[in-house]
Amino acid sequence: MDPGYMDNTPAREPPPGQTSNFTDPESRCYQLIIPIAIFIALVVILGSLRVYSRLKITRSFGADDWLCIAATVLTLSYSALILKLLFRPGGGILGIHLWDVPLSHYVEYQKGSLADSVLIRITNTIIKVGFFTFYLRLFNSIRHVRIMVWVGMAVVITFCVVFVVLDLVACAPWPSEHGDWLAPSMLDRCNRIAVDLITAGAYFNVITDFYILFIPLYQTAKLSLPRKTKIGVSLIFLTGLLASGAALANLIIRSNKRVFDRSDFTWTIVPVYATSLTEINVGLICLSLPVLSALFVGQFSNFSKSMTSWVGERRGVQPGAGESASNLTPDHSGARQ
């Protein structure tokens, strides 16, 4: 195909009264650039504080911390990918109308879109597994919680593997298509499978987010804590509602054809990406908040002591013998130099 044709032909014919503009089109890229900049700063700062807290204060660096680091790298990578897909600053096609997109750029977006779909699913899964691993440290001695955690972990990992495999099979060219990202057979296959697959992923996110939120809130309600302290502890975990709300908003936007018009998806998909970014970044922030409480001790220290006592009673040992709260309370065993 003539490269000149690809560079000068819009991906969609403009509607009546509109003309294609390949040089300076109307843009809403700032609606993603601003939250990305804010989230990058928050994630880096809170992630660094989490590592410091676990290494220097509680001295209990564990598997959930490694998962949090991996999730941070993946989340920042996803933000960088979205910036690359935006018309500005990345030279992509997101944030402008589809009739302002040349076909040559649309082909590049097909590749980036597949990478974005796979990357956010893996990132979302690592964050959820990080929560489950953290809960194992807190509630490891409680049998029904262990079962809930391992079942949840198995479900999210299995879904991730199935999602990624189906997404790659559906939306990457097969050998018979000779690497043609505009092959009619590939576009038809991707449209038939990927839309329902991504919608299923949105439903799955909402359900698992609320499941992850339920586990600590249910256990906290059973603790022998002053009402004020119990409310404070619950509020720390309830920040996860922001991530759950973002996942729910993402699902609603995807399902509303008046908001998310697929015939002009490069423009209308911006709120979808905004809610996706919010979900993974807020989820990552919430993963660090209980750990960061060790920096400020205060009421969360009371929660840790009560958790240790309560878990000890469930084990049939003396209060203080458990170690489930060791990752929350400061370690004073080492004297300052």
Side-chain angles (χ1 to χ4, degrees), residues 23 46 52 59 69 136 140 156 159 168 170 177-178 199 206 220 222 271 274 287 324 328 337:
T23 56
L46 294 179
Y52 173 81
R59 302 179 190 275
I69 291 173
L136 280 178
N140 187 52
V156 298
F159 184 87
L168 291 173
E177 291 157 344
H178 307 293
T199 301
V206 172
T220 300
K222 294 183 176 183
L287 183 57
S324 63
L328 295 175
Q337 298 299 320

Side-chain angles (χ1 to χ4, degrees), residues 183-317:
S185 57
M186 194 218 73
L187 293 177
D188 177 67
R189 182 176 66 249
C190 188
N191 288 333
R192 281 188 294 105
I193 298 175
V195 172
D196 290 338
L197 183 64
I198 293 173
T199 301
Y203 276 103
F204 183 81
N205 286 346
V206 172
I207 294 170
T208 51
D209 282 351
F210 281 104
Y211 180 78
I212 287 171
L213 189 61
F214 169 77
I215 294 175
L217 291 178
Y218 175 70
Q219 296 305 318
T220 300
K222 294 183 176 183
L223 295 177
S224 300
L225 284 171
R227 183 179 179 184
K228 184 177 179 181
T229 303
K230 188 177 291 188
I231 291 174
V233 171
S234 297
L235 286 175
I236 291 177
F237 289 115
L238 278 172
T239 54
L241 278 175
L242 296 174
S244 303
L248 186 59
N250 183 280
L251 178 60
I252 293 172
I253 292 171
R254 287 182 182 278
S255 304
N256 191 327
K257 295 182 179 180
R258 289 182 297 179
V259 177
F260 181 35
D261 179 7
R262 296 184 185 278
S263 65
D264 189 20
F265 77 91
T266 52
W267 180 270
T268 60
I269 204 172
V270 167
V272 175
Y273 276 109
T275 52
S276 295
L277 284 161
T278 300
E279 182 187 3
I280 61 171
N281 280 277
V282 171
L284 185 56
I285 290 169
C286 292
L287 183 57
S288 292
L289 287 182
V291 177
L292 292 179
S293 64
L295 290 171
F296 308 102
V297 188
Q299 291 189 0
F300 218 92
S301 175
N302 296 329
F303 165 70
S304 302
K305 293 175 183 176
S306 185
M307 175 67 72
T308 303
S309 176
W310 183 69
V311 170
E313 292 171 4
R314 299 296 287 261
R315 282 175 165 175
V317 298

Side-chain angles (χ1 to χ4, degrees), residues 72-223:
T72 300
V73 172
L74 290 171
T75 299
L76 295 175
S77 299
Y78 182 75
S79 295
L81 177 59
I82 299 306
L83 290 174
K84 175 67 176 175
L85 295 177
L86 286 172
F87 176 71
R88 291 191 179 93
I93 70 173
L94 295 183
I96 60 176
H97 291 289
L98 190 55
W99 56 83
D100 293 327
V101 175
L103 274 176
S104 57
H105 289 192
Y106 183 81
V107 173
E108 291 303 313
Y109 171 75
Q110 286 287 98
K111 302 174 186 178
S113 176
L114 178 59
D116 130 51
S117 177
V118 170
L119 181 57
I120 194 171
R121 176 52 49 193
I122 294 174
T123 303
N124 213 308
T125 300
I126 294 297
I127 292 173
K128 293 180 192 300
V129 171
F131 273 106
F132 287 130
T133 307
F134 176 59
Y135 295 163
L136 280 178
R137 296 184 71 168
L138 279 180
F139 310 112
N140 187 52
S141 63
I142 307 170
R143 184 173 181 273
H144 72 273
V145 176
R146 286 203 312 273
I147 293 173
M148 291 176 69
V149 166
W150 284 114
V151 169
M153 198 179 300
V155 169
V156 298
I157 292 174
T158 301
F159 184 87
C160 178
V161 172
V162 173
F163 183 99
V164 169
V165 170
L166 289 177
D167 206 14
L168 291 173
V169 169
C171 295
W174 291 4
S176 59
E177 291 157 344
H178 307 293
D180 183 3
W181 288 83
L182 290 180
S185 57
M186 194 218 73
L187 293 177
D188 177 67
R189 182 176 66 249
C190 188
N191 288 333
R192 281 188 294 105
I193 298 175
V195 172
D196 290 338
L197 183 64
I198 293 173
T199 301
Y203 276 103
F204 183 81
N205 286 346
V206 172
I207 294 170
T208 51
D209 282 351
F210 281 104
Y211 180 78
I212 287 171
L213 189 61
F214 169 77
I215 294 175
L217 291 178
Y218 175 70
Q219 296 305 318
T220 300
K222 294 183 176 183
L223 295 177

Side-chain angles (χ1 to χ4, degrees), residues 60-71:
S60 56
F61 200 86
D64 56 320
D65 300 295
W66 287 113
L67 287 167
C68 187
I69 291 173

